[in-house]
Amino acid sequence: MGDCKMKKTLNCLMAVLLLASCKNDGRIIEPKGGDAHALLMEQEYDFGEVSDNDGTVEHEFVVANDGGKAFVLLSAKPHCDCTTVDFKQELVEPGYGTTVKVSLDVKGLSKGEFMRAVDLFPSCKRDPANTTITLRGVKL
């Protein structure tokens, strides 16, 4: 094997070994340390135009923990009866997240622009500005 070819082979082998040693441990965010802290990866979702034919529309939000201690999402309270929430009360370790599926019954909406909110209640200190998720759109 030529000297140049040998170096390329060794460089490729080292790159493969480096990638293999940097396993993704499933974290979605780098924790900052300190107390547990719930962070919404997305606070608002826009469905765009919807109609009665859409029935129930859904979106999943991710609540991450960028703090240094674990927390549990204890409850979620929709602001109206046309919205339901589904989530697991599971321990969210630092750097990881949990999903919150929000469903909206379009048939219960009036025509025009809409906005529906859901308040989330984690077991850690709660920042209301960062623990409210919002769905919006326009009903045709």
Side-chain angles (χ1 to χ4, degrees):
M1 192 181 279
D3 196 36
C4 186
K5 207 172 195 180
M6 176 72 94
K7 284 182 183 177
K8 284 183 180 178
T9 303
L10 286 174
N11 284 339
C12 285
L13 182 58
M14 289 193 50
V16 168
L17 290 173
L18 180 64
L19 286 173
S21 68
C22 296
K23 288 190 266 183
N24 180 357
D25 66 358
R27 289 183 183 218
I28 60 171
I29 193 167
E30 189 62 36
K32 297 175 186 170
D35 290 333
H37 183 254
L39 175 69
L40 291 170
M41 302 303 290
E42 169 188 39
Q43 284 191 272
E44 183 176 288
Y45 183 76
D46 189 340
F47 285 108
E49 294 179 342
V50 295
S51 70
D52 283 341
N53 294 337
D54 293 314
T56 300
V57 292
E58 300 175 340
H59 183 70
E60 283 192 356
F61 292 88
V62 175
V63 183
N65 182 356
D66 68 343
K69 297 179 183 174
F71 73 83
V72 174
L73 185 57
L74 299 173
S75 65
K77 297 194 187 308
H79 290 200
C80 75
D81 292 338
C82 61
T83 307
T84 58
V85 184
D86 185 33
F87 67 95
K88 292 180 184 172
Q89 284 188 343
E90 59 189 0
L91 200 60
V92 182
E93 295 288 346
Y96 295 87
T98 188
T99 58
V100 177
K101 182 169 76 173
V102 182
S103 303
L104 176 65
D105 180 9
V106 175
K107 292 179 183 176
L109 300 175
S110 301
K111 290 187 179 187
E113 290 185 14
F114 64 86
M115 183 186 84
R116 297 294 184 267
V118 175
D119 292 327
L120 304 177
F121 297 89
S123 62
C124 57
K125 187 175 178 182
R126 179 175 176 263
D127 175 4
N130 187 45
T131 51
T132 299
I133 49 182
T134 307
L135 304 171
R136 62 175 61 244
V138 178
K139 182 172 178 186
L140 303 176

